[in-house]
Amino acid sequence: MIYQNILNGLCDIYNLPRIKVIFNKDYLTNPNAGGQYNFITNEIIIDENEQCIMEILFHEFRHYWQYRRYAKIFIWWTCRSMGLFHKLYWTKFCSIEEDARIFGNTLGESNRKDLLGLYSTEQLCYLRDNQTALRYAIDYVENFL
Ligand SMILES: [Zn+2]
C-alpha cells in the first residue's frame, strides 16, 4: 500500500525501526483526532475518512520520531501536562505539536526541532504549576521564536 511504503521510507531516512500505519478510526483513542501515533502499540492510526492523509501521515510520523529522540518531552506533553496539552495545543508553546504541525504541513521540508529542547521536563512542571511564569513563557515563545 502506498502510505505504508511512504512511512517505511520515512523510517529509513530517519534511521528508525519501521512501524505500521492502520486506517481505522475505531482504533483512535481520541475520536476527534484525524490521526494518532500510539506509543504503547507503536502504530500510527489514521481515520480512513480524512482528506489530507499525506499531511497526517507526516505529522504522526513526526510524533513517532519525537518519541524516539525526545522521549521525556513527548511523554510529558502527552501524559503529564495535566490539561496543558489540550489548552495549549494550537500554540507554539506546545512544542511537540508545533514541530509536528510544521513537519506535516510541509511534508517533511521544515520543522520546529528548535522548540523541542527549549524547556526541560522539570521546567515544564514548574511552568505548569505557576500561572504567571507560564503566561510569560507562552508570550516569549509565541512572540520571539
Ligand atoms: Zn499531533
Side-chain angles (χ1 to χ4, degrees):
M1 190 218 272
I2 181 171
Y3 294 112
Q4 183 65 61
N5 288 339
I6 290 165
L7 178 58
N8 289 346
L10 280 170
C11 291
D12 294 352
I13 288 167
Y14 285 87
N15 207 17
L16 295 173
R18 291 182 176 185
I19 59 170
K20 271 206 293 190
V21 56
I22 294 165
F23 290 91
N24 188 339
K25 65 177 184 321
D26 296 338
Y27 290 114
L28 293 166
T29 58
N30 175 0
N32 295 320
Q36 185 174 55
Y37 165 64
N38 185 324
F39 71 90
I40 308 292
T41 61
N42 199 34
E43 292 164 338
I44 288 174
I45 315 294
I46 297 179
D47 180 342
E48 65 275 24
N49 302 311
E50 283 290 335
Q51 301 289 318
C52 305
I53 299 280
M54 197 67 90
E55 284 83 355
I56 294 172
L57 182 68
F58 273 73
H59 180 111
E60 301 309 332
F61 167 78
R62 188 63 172 185
H63 284 316
Y64 168 49
W65 175 87
Q66 291 166 349
Y67 178 61
R68 297 299 297 249
R69 297 282 186 266
Y70 293 84
K72 277 184 165 180
I73 294 292
F74 181 84
I75 299 275
W76 190 87
W77 274 110
T78 53
C79 303
R80 305 202 181 121
S81 68
M82 298 198 303
L84 279 190
F85 178 74
H86 292 292
K87 190 174 158 195
L88 300 173
Y89 185 92
W90 290 106
T91 74
K92 287 182 203 164
F93 187 75
C94 187
S95 57
I96 62 167
E97 284 310 323
E98 181 69 3
D99 177 54
R101 260 193 300 273
I102 305 289
F103 189 87
N105 292 344
T106 63
L107 300 181
E109 292 296 316
S110 306
N111 62 68
R112 287 309 306 267
K113 184 182 169 184
D114 59 312
L115 296 176
L116 293 169
L118 195 60
Y119 294 106
S120 69
T121 53
E122 290 75 15
Q123 285 171 306
L124 288 170
C125 285
Y126 171 77
L127 293 171
R128 180 189 65 199
D129 301 331
N130 291 268
Q131 289 300 308
T132 308
L134 177 62
R135 260 198 304 277
Y136 183 81
I138 292 168
D139 189 57
Y140 177 76
V141 173
E142 286 286 297
N143 292 301
F144 300 104
L145 295 177

